Amino acid sequence: MVNSLRKFFETKIYLAITLLVFVLLIGVLGFKLISGYSWVDAIYMTVITITTVGFGEVQPLDDSSKIFTVFLILSSVVIVGYALSIITEYIISTNNFEELKKKKMQKKIDSFQNHTIICGYGRNGKQAAKKLMSYKKEFVIIEKNKDIIEKFESETIPMVLGNANEDEILLQAGLKRASTLISALPSDADNLFVVLSARQINKDACIISRASRETSYQKLKLAGANNVISPDRIGGDHMASLVVVPDLIEFIDNLAVGGNENVNIEEIDVDKLYNTSNKVQTIKDLDLRNKTGCTVIGFKGSDGEYIVNPEAEIKLVPHSKVIVLGRPEQIQQLKSIYDLD
């Protein structure tokens, strides 16, 4: 709606400018050819005529020139008046466009439930947003740099302009209804403040924070962060691992996790694999290996505890999850059988 209104006004402005240029050209050519004025005098007479400023003519006009001037005045009064009204309306409406756009975006954000809030749209924030997009998860970006907002804001990337340190901005992004907050600001001090504020507003949200320095890790945990990630440390560890165990790391790098066609690993709620209200089944009972070719490599119990390479006799209780590994076609077969798409 906002874009269509903007296009409508822009079309009217182009028409108004075209008409103004047309009147100017007719006036200049008319005074040049009919009255025999020089180009400068013709431009001067045209401008003072269509603007009705009341200056005198350069030289006395003959009857033909007077008749031409009358028609030029009558036409220019209508066209200049129309052009001025359109341009004025457009200038006034520019703020309205932005207001309409902001209201539309806020309405969309207000409809979100259990979404993710990403504070900061730098390198880490963009990577987080890209991953969430691939999973088709709802998220909101909080960014204080207006240039970044204007560059990346779209109907698919809801953004809130403001400082994530302020409670009002966090509330505007829907923190009370959010399930997760990712604080990816470049400053550890800012991340600490955001974590403290977010934990006060939503005690149940999962808060993930970025940390540049190792000394900030414990402080962020004490402030209420569930997870603290150090991108530099992870990057350095990854590079060193490529030296120590290059083949293993290369294999892991080739594993795709969710959100694309080449996925190799999936985390699945047990409740989607069978009716947990009936008799509790085990990993062996599911028989995923024979049905789909996928292998269960991990299990997360209802208490949140992870088990790597779980035994076949582990009971799949309600609200638990299994992590499966397979080739893309095997993962697709799994999704197809259990209608997981």
Side-chain angles (χ1 to χ4, degrees):
M1 179 181 176
V2 175
N3 289 334
S4 59
L5 279 173
R6 187 183 291 275
K7 287 180 181 178
F8 173 71
F9 274 110
E10 286 178 351
T11 302
K12 291 177 74 174
I13 281 182
Y14 293 146
L15 176 60
I17 292 173
T18 302
L19 289 173
L20 278 175
V21 172
F22 178 74
V23 169
L24 283 169
L25 287 174
I26 292 297
V28 171
L29 290 173
F31 283 118
K32 173 67 177 175
L33 299 176
I34 297 173
S35 304
Y37 286 174
S38 66
W39 286 112
V40 174
D41 288 342
I43 293 171
Y44 172 77
M45 282 298 296
T46 301
V47 172
I48 67 172
T49 299
I50 67 175
T51 56
T52 65
V53 295
F55 289 169
E57 53 279 356
V58 176
Q59 62 188 44
L61 301 174
D62 57 22
D63 291 341
S64 298
S65 298
K66 288 178 181 179
I67 293 172
F68 170 75
T69 304
V70 168
F71 281 106
L72 182 62
I73 291 171
L74 291 175
S75 59
S76 64
V77 165
V78 176
I79 292 173
V80 172
Y82 171 76
L84 287 175
S85 65
I86 292 299
I87 293 171
T88 303
E89 189 176 1
Y90 178 75
I91 293 172
I92 294 173
S93 299
T94 300
N95 292 332
N96 293 336
F97 287 141
E98 296 303 320
E99 191 63 29
L100 279 172
K101 190 176 179 181
K102 186 177 179 181
K103 285 182 179 179
K104 185 179 179 181
M105 185 63 72
Q106 191 58 48
K107 186 177 180 181
K108 182 177 182 179
I109 293 171
D110 291 342
S111 68
F112 288 171
Q113 293 286 342
N114 297 319
H115 59 289
T116 299
I117 296 173
I118 301 175
C119 302
Y121 202 55
R123 183 184 60 200
N124 294 306
K126 286 176 186 174
Q127 289 175 341
K130 184 178 179 181
K131 193 68 175 181
L132 292 171
M133 241 188 216
S134 68
Y135 272 89
K136 298 180 181 177
K137 297 288 186 181
E138 294 177 334
F139 64 90
V140 179
I141 304 289
I142 297 178
E143 174 57 55
K144 66 179 181 179
N145 189 324
K146 191 174 182 180
D147 292 337
I148 293 178
I149 292 280
E150 292 175 350
K151 183 177 180 181
F152 294 103
E153 187 177 30
S154 68
E155 305 232 340
T156 57
I157 305 180
M159 290 187 166
V160 174
L161 176 62
N163 194 329
N165 289 341
E166 299 175 6
D167 290 354
E168 294 80 7
I169 299 299
L170 292 172
L171 291 171
Q172 189 178 333
L175 180 56
K176 285 188 176 180
R177 306 182 310 277
S179 62
T180 310
L181 180 137
I182 298 174
S183 189
L185 302 175
S187 167
D188 286 357
D190 288 338
N191 285 321
L192 181 62
F193 202 91
V194 169
V195 171
L196 281 168
S197 300
R199 184 54 73 204
Q200 291 297 315
I201 294 172
N202 189 336
K203 298 187 182 300
D204 299 321
C206 174
I207 300 177
I208 303 166
S209 177
R210 175 184 186 273
S212 299
R213 294 175 296 179
E214 291 187 15
T215 53
S216 302
Y217 180 90
Q218 195 59 35
K219 294 175 184 176
L220 287 162
K221 293 288 284 187
L222 288 171
N226 298 88
N227 301 96
V228 179
I229 308 298
S230 177
D232 294 337
R233 181 178 178 182
I234 292 174
D237 183 79
H238 190 84
M239 287 187 284
S241 297
L242 284 169
V243 176
V244 180
V245 282
D247 294 332
L248 175 60
I249 297 301
E250 187 176 355
F251 172 75
I252 293 173
D253 286 343
N254 285 326
L255 294 178
V257 182
N260 60 60
E261 296 178 356
N262 299 316
V263 59
N264 298 107
I265 301 175
E266 276 284 356
E267 182 184 70
I268 305 166
D269 291 330
V270 166
D271 304 74
K272 294 180 180 180
L273 297 176
Y274 81 99
N275 188 354
T276 54
S277 61
N278 296 332
K279 181 182 177 182
V280 175
Q281 295 186 12
T282 62
I283 292 176
K284 183 179 180 180
D285 294 331
L286 283 180
D287 198 20
L288 292 181
R289 178 67 182 175
N290 288 328
K291 290 180 181 177
T292 67
C294 296
T295 302
V296 177
I297 61 170
F299 175 76
K300 182 181 180 182
S302 56
D303 58 356
E305 183 180 352
Y306 278 97
I307 299 176
V308 178
N309 194 23
E311 291 78 12
E313 300 304 323
I314 284 185
K315 293 183 178 180
L316 303 173
V317 296
H319 309 301
S320 58
K321 296 181 180 181
V322 292
I323 295 91
V324 298
L325 172 69
R327 296 192 301 275
E329 63 270 18
Q330 293 171 333
I331 295 292
Q332 193 56 46
Q333 174 76 0
L334 172 70
K335 289 181 177 181
S336 177
I337 291 175
Y338 293 97
D339 194 25
L340 299 176
D341 288 330

